[in-house]
Amino acid sequence: MSTAGQVIRCKAAVAWESGKPLSIEEVEVAPPQKNEVRIKILFTSLCHTDVYFWDAKGQNPLFPRILGHEAGGIVESVGEGVTDLKPGDHVLPIFTGECKECAHCLSEESNMCDLLRINTDRGEMIHDGKSRFSINGKPIYHFLGTSTFSEYTVVHVGQVAKINPEAPLDKVCVLSCGMSTGFGATVNVAKPKKGQSVAIFGLGAVGLAAAEGARVSGASRIIGVDLNPSRFEQAKKFGVTEFVNPKAHDKPVQEVIVEMTGGGVDRSVECTGSIQAMISAFECVHDGWGVAVLVGVPNKDDAFKTHPVNLLNERTLKGTFFGNYKPRTDIPAVVEKYMNQELELDKFITHSVPFSEINKAFELMLAGEGLRCVIRMDA
Ligand code: NAD
Ligand code: ZN
C-alpha cells in the first residue's frame, strides 16, 4: 500500500538536548512539499559534524533535533514539481545542495549553491519554514536539510544525488560527506600529476580519503603528517608511504618536509582544522608549482599568516568545500568509481551498529576509535 501523501510514523533518534544520548522515539514525518522528496533511509553513518552540533559548543544550540547527514536510502514519494526523482530511486542525501539555477550552480568552477549551500542554523524546510518532523504535534528540528537519523526523512530535491541502484548503500553512504570531501580535495583541487609527491596533514577520515585520492592519482610519495602517532599504522592501508610527526622535530614541520623532498612536495592537502597545520601545509609545497589545499574548518578567530614572498615564489593556496563536487551532477560518478573498483571505500568502514545502538557510534567517535561507523536502520 502506498504511503505517498500520508503522514508516516516511524522511528527516529532525537537529540533533546546538547551532549545527552539520543533517544529513539516514534515521530510523524509529513509528506514532501514542493521540490521535496521523502526518503526511506537504509544506512547512515556518523561524522564529526553530527557530534559537533550534538555537543553544541560554539554554535547556536537548536533542540530537539534529528541529526545525521551521511546516508543512503530509497525515495518513498516526491512532492510537487519534482521531475528528476521517483519512488524507488536509490539516493544519497547531501548536506549541501545544487539548485541548478543560481550563478554558482551555472558556473563550472563552484559548488557553493546560493539557495542550498550548507546552513547549520536552519532547522526547517526552505519551502514554508516548517519542520516535517513532529512528536504529538510538537515540531522537531531538521539538521543540514538531511536529518538521516530517522527511518524516513524529507529533503529538498537539490540535496539528493540519484545513484546507481546496484551500488551497496551500506558502503556508498559514506560518500555523502567525509569521503567525497577528502577525495575531491585531492583529485579535483590539488590535482597531483602521476608520479608527484603529496603531503596530507591530518590522518582522520577526511585526510585518509585525501590520501586515497593521491593513491588513485598515481602519486609517488604520500607523506602523512599527524600529531597522533597512533594514526600512522592505519594510514599505511591507505597508501601513505612516509610519516612525519611535527612533535618529533625541533624545527617547523614544513622545513622537515622541504628537506625530505629536496625543495618541497608538489601538492599538499590540509585536513586538520588547525591553523598551524594550514600554514605548514602551504609553506611545505615546492616553489614554482606547488599547490596547497585547505579542507579543515578553522576556529572562529584564526588568521592565516605567511610571508607574501611564499606566494610570489609561485606557490598556490586554495581552499575547498565538499571536495568541489556538485552533489547532484558529480556524486553519481563518484559512486561509479567505487563500482569500477577505482576508489576503495570498505576500508573506511571500521564499525557497524544497529539503529537501536546509535549512541555507541557516538561513543566510538568520542573515543577516537575507527573511521566510520555505519548505522543499520532496519536492525
Ligand atoms: P579528525 O579529527 O578525525 O582528524 C583530524 C586529524 O588531524 C587528527 O588525527 C589530529 O591528530 C590531526 N591534527 C590536528 N592538529 C594537527 C596539526 N597541527 N598537525 C598535524 N595533524 C594534526 O577529523 P576529520 O573528520 O578527518 O576532519 C578533518 C577536518 O576536515 C575537520 O576540520 C573537519 O571539520 C573538516 N571538514 C571539512 C569539510 C569541507 O568541506 N571543507 C567537510 C568535512 C570535514
Ligand atoms: Zn544553486
Side-chain angles (χ1 to χ4, degrees):
M1 225 182 62
S2 169
T3 41
Q6 321 268 325
V7 169
I8 290 181
R9 280 174 203 283
C10 68
K11 281 194 223 120
V14 178
W16 288 102
E17 49 183 315
S18 68
K20 294 278 160 62
L22 307 185
S23 82
I24 308 268
E25 310 274 356
E26 186 172 276
V27 299
E28 296 116 35
V29 185
Q33 302 299 306
K34 192 172 178 197
N35 292 331
E36 295 173 357
V37 287
R38 191 161 55 184
I39 302 169
K40 180 176 170 50
I41 299 293
L42 297 185
F43 298 95
T44 182
S45 47
L46 184 65
C47 166
H48 275 110
T49 311
D50 299 304
V51 176
Y52 193 64
F53 281 83
W54 164 78
D55 214 20
K57 290 188 187 116
Q59 64 270 323
N60 295 338
L62 194 59
F63 295 101
R65 201 170 201 186
I66 298 174
L67 300 165
H69 65 287
E70 264 190 21
I74 297 177
V75 174
E76 174 269 337
S77 62
V78 304
E80 184 195 327
V82 175
T83 52
D84 53 355
L85 286 170
K86 58 180 186 320
D89 284 344
H90 286 221
V91 294
L92 304 182
I94 314 270
F95 64 95
T96 189
E98 179 185 356
C99 73
K100 295 197 175 181
E101 287 170 12
C102 73
H104 288 274
C105 287
L106 295 176
S107 157
E108 264 180 33
E109 294 176 312
S110 173
N111 66 344
M112 306 280 293
C113 175
D114 274 333
L115 181 70
L116 298 166
R117 181 183 305 188
I118 185 173
N119 182 332
T120 57
D121 290 334
R122 187 165 53 224
E124 298 95 359
M125 299 307 287
I126 290 179
H127 173 62
D128 55 5
K130 289 189 182 142
S131 174
R132 302 285 171 263
F133 297 110
S134 57
I135 295 181
N136 300 325
K138 184 180 182 303
I140 309 290
Y141 290 114
H142 293 249
F143 176 62
L144 303 183
T146 52
S147 291
T148 58
F149 296 163
S150 175
E151 291 175 319
Y152 287 87
T153 188
V154 177
V155 180
H156 191 287
V157 66
Q159 287 184 243
V160 182
K162 178 177 164 179
I163 63 162
N164 183 345
E166 308 271 301
L169 290 169
D170 59 335
K171 302 294 189 310
V172 297
C173 61
V174 299
L175 288 173
S176 253
C177 172
M179 281 25 336
S180 297
T181 295
F183 189 77
T186 303
V187 301
N188 296 335
V189 190
K191 295 186 183 160
K193 299 188 178 88
K194 199 167 182 334
Q196 285 194 323
S197 56
V198 181
I200 308 288
F201 284 71
L203 300 174
V206 175
L208 292 174
E212 179 67 6
R215 184 190 70 78
V216 167
S217 305
S220 57
R221 295 174 76 177
I222 307 177
I223 302 171
V225 184
D226 203 298
L227 298 170
N228 176 357
S230 75
R231 295 278 190 183
F232 294 166
E233 200 44 48
Q234 183 174 46
K236 286 185 191 159
K237 281 192 233 149
F238 293 78
V240 175
T241 54
E242 291 155 83
F243 302 99
V244 181
N245 182 350
K247 283 195 286 197
H249 298 272
D250 50 20
K251 58 184 160 200
V253 65
Q254 52 270 48
E255 288 178 25
V256 176
I257 294 173
V258 167
E259 277 174 24
M260 278 169 74
T261 52
V265 282
D266 301 306
R267 301 290 186 262
S268 73
V269 186
E270 177 280 327
C271 308
T272 68
S274 148
I275 188 69
Q276 193 47 57
M278 294 180 192
I279 294 166
S280 302
F282 173 59
E283 294 183 352
C284 79
V285 299
H286 207 290
D287 55 2
W289 60 79
V291 179
V293 177
L294 307 187
V295 176
V297 178
N299 290 324
K300 199 166 104 280
D301 300 322
D302 282 339
F304 189 99
K305 188 166 175 286
T306 192
H307 198 282
V309 161
N310 292 327
L311 285 151
L312 299 181
N313 286 347
E314 302 181 356
R315 293 182 184 87
T316 304
L317 178 62
K318 294 183 168 191
T320 177
F321 173 67
F322 192 47
N324 260 52
Y325 286 119
K326 290 186 196 284
R328 297 161 87 182
T329 303
D330 300 332
I331 292 302
V334 184
V335 169
E336 289 313 309
K337 274 192 196 300
Y338 170 74
M339 297 301 281
N340 301 335
Q341 294 168 6
E342 280 172 67
L343 156 67
E344 295 174 13
L345 289 179
D346 301 32
K347 60 192 179 187
F348 288 97
I349 300 164
T350 51
H351 296 83
S352 164
V353 294
F355 189 36
S356 57
E357 293 173 25
I358 188 169
N359 288 303
K360 262 197 194 153
F362 280 71
E363 287 161 23
L364 286 165
M365 184 156 277
L366 290 170
E369 273 179 45
L371 293 170
R372 278 296 184 265
C373 179
V374 169
I375 297 151
R376 309 186 297 276
M377 301 305 288
D378 63 349

